Amino acid sequence: MSDASPPETTKPVPLRRVAAASCAGTTIEFYDFFIYGTAAALVFPTVFFPALGATAGTVASFATFAVAFFARPVGAVIFGHYGDRIGRKRTLISTLLLMGIATVLIGLLPPAETIGVAAPLILVFLRFCQGFAVGGEWAGATLLTAEYAPKEKRGLYGVFPQLGPAIAFALSSGTFLVTGLVMGDDDDAFLTYGWRIPFILSIALIGVGLWVRLSIEETPAFKDAQVRAKAEAATLDRSKRLPFLEAVRAQPREVLLSAGALTMLFAFFYMGTAYLTAYGTNPDGAALPRPVVLGLGIGASVIFGAGIVISGILSDRFGRRNVIRVSCIAGIVWALALFPVLDIGTPLAFGIGLSVTLVIFSVSYGPAGSYLPELFAAKHRYTGAGLGYNLAGVLGGAIPPLLAPGLAASFGSIAIGVMLSITAVISLVSVSFLHETGNRALEHETENAEAHA
């Protein structure tokens, strides 16, 4: 029997189990990622950068927040390599463990007044580990559903890993809200140990995530790619078998354009979930009570979760690219109106500003879970999709929140809206140069269809 013989047939894995595994994993990973963003807005300037003052401390805090986005492409390359070589499942278990350990350690990290400059340095390292883990998480989770789902319903099933951030944002806001309410007006207690509770609690979620992910099988597309790789191994040199080099050599256009297409998505989401949390509670911003801002965040997460589901379903009917274009056009206009709405200073205005921002994000994010996997060949799909996605994270997720405080201080909040509008223009142009992939069969589906013809 040759190396190219088909793999042994295994019992089909129910799609609902695959969907649950992808959703549970991204929920836990992004919960860990988001509680850092919430803490960066509410706590870290005081706990880890007390000597810098309010404005500089906030900038420094969001600088540590941005570190993770620069780590994400590195994680995409490293975990993408192993995801394309040893499998999606085992790689995703590794990302989950790394994220969980880093998050718990942040919750146990002593403040700057106890260990001095070592505190922010260790914080930066652990934040890098979080970004490194998330860099490998998203592509693997979306591949789980994309490579199992039938092509005519890939947009629908692709929303399950995409729902993770919506659920995670609600959980992260909820844990901080409950912790704050239990402690009442005792800000000293919240700053001393209350903020640590959400980080330490993540250890329980990691256990659940591991149990779910261990219950699934490897994807059929990966098994098929492994069979072909064995057959081709004798004719390829070592460098051509590296997924990163394969992706860059074979599909550089898709890597760069997918990064540009999702830049607005990241900018709107992280400005909405992290920066607006700080802006809403800041006396120079919306000046709202912390429980109000966190409560509105929970409500907004429900709305944008619904938007993710609806847009994913619509992408099966109208195409991935067209749905993302609608989001970009809406983003160009809304970005200019966002801060004038927020500056009204009422809870209703803040709720509207936050919700609309996240809904626009969700319209792009829903189709992204199926769009990026469909753009890349199976042999480097984990690497290619992860690299495009996480490069967009640097452009849209790291830079705008870092620039926003300075822009607001120098030119007023409208300057932040202009910056967000520019990211939407970049994404609109980029996605317009990509091709449509809706209802496209992946390699293993095409070969199976030919075999049964």
Side-chain angles (χ1 to χ4, degrees), residues 227-250:
V227 171
R228 292 199 306 272
K230 289 180 181 178
E232 296 170 357
T235 62
L236 293 175
D237 64 62
R238 185 178 181 86
S239 66
K240 290 182 180 179
R241 296 200 302 270
L242 292 175
F244 172 71
L245 294 180
E246 286 181 345
V248 171
R249 287 170 176 170

Side-chain angles (χ1 to χ4, degrees), residues 317-332:
R317 181 174 180 181
F318 299 107
R320 324 288 187 222
R321 187 173 65 166
N322 288 335
V323 174
I324 294 174
R325 277 173 169 168
V326 169
S327 174
C328 294
I329 293 169
I332 293 171

Side-chain angles (χ1 to χ4, degrees), residues 26-54:
T26 54
T27 296
I28 294 163
E29 291 260 9
F30 280 94
Y31 166 82
D32 289 354
F33 202 72
F34 293 159
I35 56 176
Y36 189 101
T38 305
L42 301 178
V43 176
F44 288 172
T46 302
V47 175
F48 294 110
F49 304 99
L52 297 181

Side-chain angles (χ1 to χ4, degrees), residues 341-359:
V341 170
L342 294 176
D343 288 342
I344 294 172
T346 65
L348 177 61
F350 186 85
I352 292 172
L354 178 61
S355 297
V356 175
T357 301
L358 293 181
V359 165

Side-chain angles (χ1 to χ4, degrees), residues 6 17 35 51 118 131 162 196 211 226 258 278 323 342 350 354 359 393 404 424 430 442:
R17 188 189 302 173
I35 56 176
Q162 306 299 77
R196 301 177 183 275
W211 175 74
Q226 284 292 91
S258 62
V323 174
L342 294 176
F350 186 85
L354 178 61
V359 165
S430 297
L442 301 182

